[in-house]
């Protein structure tokens, strides 16, 4: 018998084996956010952690209808963790997770869940090391400017390019990461020695989400390399980001919002 996790829930269900099946399927880190939300909801309802089936997720990042979860994240169903509370609170901010203040996330409550379900795979770790070497990145001395643009304008206010770039400073090694070709052009004009990754896809400012333009045969390449880049950015000394699931997951992978400047709409906090 299939059971809904919540009333009229269209994003996840519980199958006849008691597994949590995530149905939500959109952008890469949107998939991650809903997966995390549903794991927390499952725990809060049943007071135990689920086996998670994500085989229906990430369809825009795979070449066929296979389960690619373990391409991105380690399989760790065998890992047993003990949570010291019957209820997990994700954040003190009641706004939608990606548009909330990342300082308000209860990192201590969710850290074990992140480690169990979202530890990057060995393949992602290998790509991470290759990129660090290729671009000579020293994360301990690096500032990341990660600007989520393109279709995100339809969901929330986006800071002006100059206001965002003004937050970077010039003392550190600098990484510029964006899906927005207009932002990248503006950033590189101001900071021509900054690093940007050739392995990421970029679209014009007015276009829709970047994953909609990637050829089928290139999907795994771009997905794995982008996750590796996120892994790098999460370890950097300073981060400047704006609202969205990408900025949210930099902080979740980081385990905190320390040394992070976040634009919530047009305001920097």
């Amino acid at each position: 018998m299939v059971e809904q996790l919540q009333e009229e829930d269209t994003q996840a269900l519980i199958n006849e084996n008691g597994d949590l099946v995530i149905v939500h399927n959109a952008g890469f880190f949107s998939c991650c956010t809903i997966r995390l939300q549903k794991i927390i909801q499952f725990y809060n309802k049943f007071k135990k952690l689920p086996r998670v089936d994500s085989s229906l997720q990430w369809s825009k990042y795979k070449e066929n209808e296979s389960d690619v979860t373990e391409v991105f994240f380690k399989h760790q169903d065998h890992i047993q963790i003990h949570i010291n509370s019957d209820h997990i609170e994700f954040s003190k901010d009641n706004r939608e997770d990606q548009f909330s203040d990342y300082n308000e996330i209860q990192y201590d409550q969710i850290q074990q869940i992140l480690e169990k379900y979202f530890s990057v795979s060995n393949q992602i770790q290998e790509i991470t090391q290759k990129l660090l070497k290729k671009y000579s990145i020293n994360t301990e001395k690096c500032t990341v400017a990660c600007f989520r643009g393109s279709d995100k304008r339809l969901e929330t206010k986006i800071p002006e390019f100059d206001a965002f770039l003004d937050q970077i400073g010039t003392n550190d090694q600098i990484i510029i990461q964006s899906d927005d070709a207009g932002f990248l052009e503006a950033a590189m004009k101001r900071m021509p020695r900054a690093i940007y990754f050739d392995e990421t896809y970029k679209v014009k400012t007015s276009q829709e989400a970047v994953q909609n333009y990637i050829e089928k045969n290139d999907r795994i390449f771009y997905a794995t390399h982008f996750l590796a880049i996120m892994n790098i950015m999460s370890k950097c000394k300073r981060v400047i980001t704006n609202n969205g699931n990408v900025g949210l997951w930099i902080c979740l992978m980081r385990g905190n919002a320390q040394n992070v400047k976040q634009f919530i709409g047009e305001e920097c906090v």
Side-chain angles (χ1 to χ4, degrees):
M1 179 179 177
V2 175
E3 179 183 352
Q4 288 182 318
L5 183 59
Q6 293 184 315
E7 186 176 353
E8 298 182 356
D9 193 341
T10 61
Q11 297 176 320
L13 54 87
I14 302 168
N15 67 16
E16 60 274 7
N17 297 320
D19 297 339
L20 176 63
V21 180
I22 313 297
V23 179
H24 176 79
N25 184 38
F28 188 93
F29 285 102
S30 175
C31 287
C32 292
T33 297
I34 299 303
R35 188 174 189 248
L36 175 59
Q37 287 176 353
K38 297 306 173 182
I39 291 168
I40 292 172
Q41 289 171 9
F42 185 101
Y43 178 83
N44 286 342
K45 182 174 182 177
F46 297 108
K47 313 308 176 191
K48 63 179 183 178
L49 291 168
R51 292 189 305 271
V52 180
D53 180 345
S54 289
S55 60
L56 299 177
Q57 295 196 282
W58 295 297
S59 67
K60 293 183 178 181
Y61 304 89
K62 53 189 178 183
E63 297 166 5
N64 51 59
E65 292 306 312
S66 59
D67 186 353
V68 294
T69 309
E70 290 178 36
V71 174
F72 306 128
F73 305 109
K74 291 179 179 178
H75 179 76
Q76 299 195 125
D77 281 349
H78 61 288
I79 300 290
Q80 299 296 318
I81 62 175
H82 177 70
I83 297 174
N84 296 320
S85 173
D86 288 337
H87 183 87
I88 298 171
E89 180 183 25
F90 177 79
S91 176
K92 293 181 179 179
D93 191 331
N94 59 13
R95 287 173 288 190
E96 183 181 344
D97 292 348
Q98 64 171 319
F99 301 130
S100 67
D101 184 342
Y102 305 151
N103 287 292
E104 298 298 321
I105 295 172
Q106 302 299 285
Y107 295 97
D108 58 334
Q109 293 194 35
I110 62 173
Q111 190 59 42
Q112 291 185 85
I113 290 177
L114 292 171
E115 290 174 0
K116 179 177 173 66
Y117 294 98
F118 295 95
S119 289
V120 297
S121 68
N122 291 337
Q123 180 179 350
I124 300 302
Q125 292 284 19
E126 289 173 5
I127 297 170
T128 297
Q129 293 305 313
K130 289 179 182 178
L131 292 174
L132 287 169
K133 183 177 180 180
K134 175 182 176 179
Y135 293 99
S136 301
I137 295 169
N138 181 349
T139 55
E140 294 180 358
K141 297 181 179 179
C142 194
T143 292
V144 170
C146 182
F147 183 89
R148 177 66 169 88
S150 59
D151 64 310
K152 191 56 65 175
R153 289 174 171 79
L154 303 175
E155 301 178 43
T156 187
K157 289 184 178 180
I158 299 292
E160 295 292 331
F161 291 171
D162 285 340
F164 193 98
L165 293 170
D166 286 345
Q167 296 294 329
I168 296 176
T170 57
N171 293 329
D172 293 337
Q173 186 181 49
I174 296 168
I175 292 175
I176 303 295
Q177 173 57 38
S178 182
D179 58 345
D180 191 312
F183 176 81
L184 178 61
E185 181 180 1
M188 296 309 294
K189 281 182 179 178
R190 187 187 287 204
M191 291 163 287
R193 298 181 63 184
I195 297 165
Y196 70 92
F197 296 98
D198 293 329
E199 293 79 6
T200 58
Y201 203 91
K202 303 158 189 72
V203 297
K204 294 180 180 178
T205 297
S206 60
Q207 291 180 308
E208 57 182 298
V210 66
Q211 63 266 19
N212 296 335
Y213 295 90
I214 299 174
E215 295 292 333
K216 195 170 186 178
N217 291 340
D218 294 331
R219 289 175 176 177
I220 289 293
F221 175 88
Y222 280 110
T224 53
H225 281 73
F226 185 58
L227 183 54
I229 288 166
M230 289 285 289
N231 192 34
I232 290 171
M233 293 192 296
S234 73
K235 299 180 186 334
C236 285
K237 176 183 173 184
R238 295 177 64 242
V239 176
I240 300 101
T241 189
N242 59 321
N243 275 2
N245 285 302
V246 170
L248 171 66
W249 276 90
I250 290 175
C251 291
L252 291 177
M253 295 172 74
R254 190 181 186 83
N256 59 69
Q258 296 172 16
N259 294 321
V260 175
K261 287 191 175 182
Q262 176 195 355
F263 277 87
I264 301 178
E266 296 176 328
E267 179 184 0
C268 186
V269 298

